[in-house]
Amino acid sequence: MSSFPRAGFIRRVASLIYDALVVIAFAMLTTIVFLGLVQGMLSMGWYTLEGHEDVSALIQATPTLYYSRTVLLVLVSVAFFAYFWTKSGQTIGMRAWRLKVQSTEGQLLTWPQAIARSLAALLGLGNFLVLIDRKHKRALQDMLSGSEVLLLSKEENKKVYDSLD
């Protein structure tokens, strides 16, 4: 697999934009579930609206709820990327742009590697390092997690996808 070139900045960002749409959908679902849980806690008397207009205003004004929601959304995002990276090396966006992430030894990422990579990406900002490291085309998350992103041929991309069946 190492015979493939490392992916450049444009493809990485395009893939990230594609994946961001999926992550946003998961975030919306997570928020709906979280709002339902808070509504349930209100029904049980664990919280009260205390003069707030609605559940959303209560969440914004209550540090415990606000930070819980934030941590939950980060966990869902990290889990999305880590799951795909450890299963096949490709997220949905990476599949569309023929990219694959792997360890520098050519293996699928481990869960600790995938989590570190996801957190180190800094919401995609880590990819800007690829513009500076033109020779090796490594982003911050590549360096910190011992991984690389390869640009696959159409045939190899199909093999990766077909191996999931």
Side-chain angles (χ1 to χ4, degrees):
M1 191 64 82
S2 60
S3 63
F4 295 101
R6 288 188 174 154
F9 179 76
I10 299 295
R11 281 191 180 265
R12 287 173 182 252
V13 171
S15 170
L16 181 62
I17 290 168
Y18 197 108
D19 285 331
L21 297 173
V22 179
V23 171
I24 288 168
F26 275 117
M28 290 168 48
L29 289 172
T30 302
T31 299
I32 290 169
V33 170
F34 187 77
L35 288 170
L37 290 171
V38 173
Q39 188 64 52
M41 289 188 277
L42 283 168
S43 298
M44 292 185 199
W46 295 356
Y47 284 97
T48 61
L49 285 179
E50 299 176 14
H52 299 289
E53 292 179 23
D54 56 21
V55 175
S56 293
L58 174 67
I59 292 169
Q60 292 296 324
T62 309
T64 304
L65 294 175
Y66 179 80
Y67 290 116
S68 295
R69 182 199 62 187
T70 303
V71 167
L72 183 60
L73 290 173
V74 169
L75 288 174
V76 166
S77 299
V78 168
F80 168 81
F81 287 102
Y83 172 78
F84 283 103
W85 290 338
T86 58
K87 182 176 181 187
S88 67
Q90 292 183 306
T91 59
I92 296 165
M94 293 174 84
R95 166 88 173 108
W97 287 93
R98 297 189 349 248
L99 302 179
K100 181 180 180 188
V101 66
Q102 64 182 20
S103 71
T104 53
E105 292 81 33
Q107 305 298 315
L108 287 175
L109 299 186
T110 63
W111 273 93
Q113 272 182 306
I115 291 167
R117 179 181 172 75
S118 183
L119 293 172
L122 305 173
L123 299 174
L125 296 176
N127 287 313
F128 281 105
L129 203 52
V130 173
L131 296 172
I132 297 168
D133 187 16
R134 291 186 182 271
K135 182 178 179 183
H136 300 290
K137 294 184 181 177
R138 293 181 305 167
L140 178 65
Q141 58 268 28
D142 298 331
M143 293 179 204
L144 295 178
S145 67
S147 63
E148 61 186 355
V149 178
L150 304 178
L151 174 58
L152 302 178
S153 65
K154 289 181 182 179
E155 296 77 25
E156 188 64 27
N157 196 44
K158 185 171 174 19
K159 284 181 192 176
V160 172
Y161 188 72
D162 289 343
S163 71
L164 299 175
D165 294 335

